[in-house]
Amino acid sequence: MSSATSDGRLPPVGQEHSSTSQVQLDGEITGRPIERGMSTSHWLGTVRSNPLLDYRSSEELPSKADMIIIGSGLSGALTALSLLESSNPPKSLVMLEARELCSGAIGRNAGHCKPDIWRGFTEYSKLFGNKEALRILTNEGETRDALVEFIESNEIQCEIWNGKTMDMMMDEETANKAAENMKAFLAAGGDARQVDITLNPVQAEKLSRVKGAKAIYASPASTLHPWKLVEFIIKRCLKLGLQLHTLTPVLSVDGSDNDWTIQTKRGTIKTPTVIHTTNAYAAALLPEMKKTIIPIPHMCNLVYPPSSHSGSKSLKTSYAVIYKEGLYTINPRLNADGCILVGGVQPNQHHLEAYIEEKKESRQFDDSLKDFKPITDSVKDLGTNGFEWNESQNLKTGFSVRYDRSWSGIIGLTKDQVPLVGAVPGKSGQWTSCGHNGHGMARIFTCSRGLAQLIQGAEWTKTGLPKCFEITQQRLNGELYRQNKL
């Protein structure tokens, strides 16, 4: 398995997952969140006493509401807040969550908001044209700026770190592809002033502390505790009138335009407006998305670094470690407990794909998977040969590295690599922001705010979102967004 796309381009940030096998990408499989036995992410494992986990605003479900949001992750929470703080808030807003609060993809990620400043240009340009590709990359920077401003202005205690992340090219092939991509980005008018480039391998190794680094492209990013961010938003929403019901799986959405009946395991609710923020699970309630959103499990590993990389000697930034055989994302918890979260598509990813393929009807939605040995072996290989964490080389005294545990989360891929935002075609009163491709932290803040504007009557141009994000019947048919590719 390669970290590069089939025609030799580097993958956009967050789109490394798009190299998943074509068999799975062609499948039209739908499923719901499993209700028991799910793996415990680092985020969910640190909030087990929080009363919001299983919060219900009332013992019984209300019989009706002005608006209903399905899903309590960052998309659902931010959409709710945007609606409730608008000049024309809904009189009643209900949020339904199948499991515990924020227990889907956002509650299972590596806590990294890494906007794609330049890396995805040639791939997006191939799909959408130069102008739209630049809009996508600009939007990601705007999303991170909005997230940081919101956290800092509200003094949210979610362990945020802001700095520059390093994209490290680990062989000549990836280094050459990166250089070609940057050249094309600049030629199209891209702004690389925020990117610090190191092309000398000796300097790259010294800066990164990773053996074998050939080149570095460093750009702004943030890390944080995403569940604690959602907690803050939900608490504010509850004060503004949100009715939250966790552990309330939705079974169906039936009816006709602006007259919808939501069937749950705890009863039914009627509403004119349904907002789907269910990401990888969207097709379970919106079967028209079967050709568009593909669910794929991925693993995240938690590592406690050795003494050689702890305390004053700890890593000072996050990374993408890019080989031609695979890619690791590295997120050190710099303003928190110091552990390191490792994700991405490692060289052993094909073993995970083969495991899923054996029983893909159930395994594509199964986030009970933990400690998947081939992926953990890849992480250990990076620790030994990249960071040189093996005890015999680095440690005379102190703690050795501990590869603690790992968990799974379900990513919602789209075939054109961008999210589905807006009004569901043919179903007046139903809306969505789904399919964030494992890259939601760098898209949700602007997508959710834009969705709230659309629900309240704004035209697409007012959202500031790239046009290719808009859900259309053509995209639901499995066709790619088309425009004049200038």
Side-chain angles (χ1 to χ4, degrees):
M1 181 169 185
S2 173
S3 67
T5 53
S6 59
D7 56 3
R9 293 180 173 88
L10 283 179
V13 176
Q15 301 302 329
E16 298 88 5
H17 320 288
S18 63
S19 56
T20 304
S21 69
Q22 192 62 40
V23 174
Q24 292 183 40
L25 287 175
D26 284 343
E28 296 182 16
I29 297 174
T30 64
R32 304 173 189 278
I34 61 172
E35 295 187 34
R36 57 175 297 182
M38 57 287 291
S39 60
T40 305
S41 71
H42 184 59
W43 316 126
L44 290 163
T46 59
V47 295
R48 300 314 303 162
S49 64
N50 194 300
L52 280 183
L53 277 174
D54 58 351
Y55 186 91
R56 289 176 176 174
S57 293
S58 59
E59 185 175 343
E60 301 294 331
L61 285 177
S63 60
K64 60 183 179 179
D66 284 353
M67 296 182 183
I68 294 177
I69 296 175
I70 306 174
S72 69
L74 187 57
S75 286
L78 272 172
T79 302
L81 185 63
S82 297
L83 290 167
L84 291 168
E85 290 189 334
S86 70
S87 59
N88 184 31
K91 294 180 180 178
S92 57
L93 177 61
V94 173
M95 178 178 287
L96 304 175
E97 167 57 52
R99 305 190 297 194
E100 294 177 339
L101 182 76
C102 191
S103 57
I106 287 292
R108 298 176 172 278
N109 65 20
H112 204 190
C113 179
K114 178 175 179 172
D116 193 337
I117 302 297
W118 66 279
R119 206 175 87 196
F121 175 75
T122 50
E123 183 66 12
Y124 289 136
S125 178
K126 177 186 174 184
L127 289 169
F128 309 118
N130 286 0
K131 293 176 70 174
E132 192 73 355
L134 293 175
R135 289 191 191 100
I136 293 170
L137 302 178
T138 298
N139 173 257
E140 295 202 15
E142 293 170 350
T143 300
R144 187 233 174 199
D145 290 345
L147 179 144
V148 172
E149 191 280 330
F150 181 79
I151 291 172
E152 292 182 346
S153 64
N154 289 286
E155 299 181 344
I156 302 173
Q157 301 304 304
C158 61
E159 301 160 5
I160 190 169
W161 167 87
N162 299 311
K164 285 203 170 180
T165 186
M166 293 184 182
D167 277 354
M168 285 185 293
M169 311 304 155
M170 300 299 295
D171 49 62
E172 293 297 334
E173 184 175 336
T174 55
N176 290 337
K177 289 172 185 172
E180 292 169 4
N181 192 71
M182 176 59 77
K183 182 179 179 180
F185 172 67
L186 294 172
D191 184 353
R193 287 176 295 178
Q194 295 186 84
V195 184
D196 299 331
I197 303 174
T198 302
L199 300 179
N200 182 302
V202 175
Q203 292 178 333
E205 277 198 10
K206 183 178 180 180
L207 283 172
S208 67
R209 301 170 68 185
V210 177
K211 183 179 179 181
K214 303 298 183 187
I216 296 174
Y217 294 76
S219 57
S222 301
T223 66
L224 65 149
H225 193 307
W227 199 96
K228 292 182 179 180
L229 172 61
V230 171
E231 175 193 23
F232 176 90
I233 297 169
I234 291 294
K235 283 183 175 179
R236 180 182 284 189
C237 288
L238 291 171
K239 291 179 180 179
L240 294 170
L242 175 69
Q243 299 176 65
L244 171 64
H245 289 269
T246 63
L247 305 172
T248 306
V250 174
L251 304 177
S252 65
V253 179
D254 303 305
S256 56
D257 291 355
N258 303 305
D259 184 13
W260 304 104
T261 298
I262 295 181
Q263 179 70 45
T264 80
K265 287 196 171 183
R266 296 175 56 221
T268 61
I269 311 179
K270 293 186 70 66
T271 183
T273 305
V274 183
I275 304 165
H276 299 263
T277 59
T278 49
N279 202 32
Y281 305 100
L285 300 175
L286 291 169
E288 54 265 59
M289 289 193 178
K290 288 194 297 184
K291 294 182 179 180
T292 310
I293 294 183
I294 303 99
I296 297 293
H298 274 260
M299 305 301 299
C300 187
N301 281 66
L302 185 149
V303 180
Y304 288 100
S307 292
S308 62
H309 287 70
S310 300
S312 62
K313 298 180 288 294
S314 63
L315 298 176
K316 305 303 180 185
T317 186
S318 63
Y319 300 84
V321 185
I322 306 174
Y323 298 86
K324 60 184 178 181
E325 300 86 6
L327 180 151
Y328 302 83
T329 61
I330 312 293
N331 173 16
R333 302 251 297 133
L334 295 163
N335 284 346
D337 51 30
C339 69
I340 298 172
L341 303 183
V342 184
V345 178
Q346 298 92 336
N348 278 347
Q349 187 74 12
H350 62 281
H351 291 294
L352 177 58
E353 293 178 4
Y355 169 82
I356 296 165
E357 183 68 18
E358 289 174 2
K359 296 181 180 179
K360 61 182 180 181
E361 291 78 9
S362 59
R363 288 178 177 172
Q364 283 194 217
F365 293 93
D366 187 354
D367 55 14
S368 68
L369 184 61
K370 58 183 180 181
D371 303 325
F372 190 72
K373 187 176 183 301
I375 298 296
T376 300
D377 286 346
S378 281
V379 174
K380 289 180 178 179
D381 183 67
L382 176 68
T384 299
N385 297 311
F387 287 102
E388 298 185 300
W389 284 340
N390 47 313
E391 189 169 357
S392 61
Q393 289 188 29
N394 275 350
L395 291 178
K396 295 180 180 178
T397 60
F399 290 97
S400 59
V401 63
R402 179 173 134 193
Y403 298 95
D404 190 70
R405 59 192 172 90
S406 67
W407 59 90
S408 52
I410 311 301
I411 292 171
L413 303 181
T414 61
K415 289 189 177 181
D416 54 9
Q417 305 185 16
V418 293
L420 296 155
V421 180
V424 178
K427 291 185 174 178
S428 181
Q430 293 203 43
W431 304 82
T432 187
S433 177
C434 294
H436 288 285
N437 288 272
H439 195 43
M441 295 296 290
R443 287 186 172 155
I444 287 173
F445 247 82
T446 51
C447 283
S448 294
R449 290 176 174 179
L451 179 62
Q453 291 175 290
L454 294 170
I455 292 168
Q456 296 187 315
E459 296 294 327
W460 183 269
T461 54
K462 296 294 184 182
T463 69
L465 296 172
K467 184 66 176 173
C468 61
F469 286 13
E470 185 176 17
I471 184 172
T472 64
Q473 187 60 54
Q474 287 72 30
R475 293 184 69 198
L476 292 180
N477 292 342
E479 303 170 19
L480 299 180
Y481 169 84
R482 291 286 183 263
Q483 73 164 24
N484 184 23
K485 297 184 178 181
L486 299 177

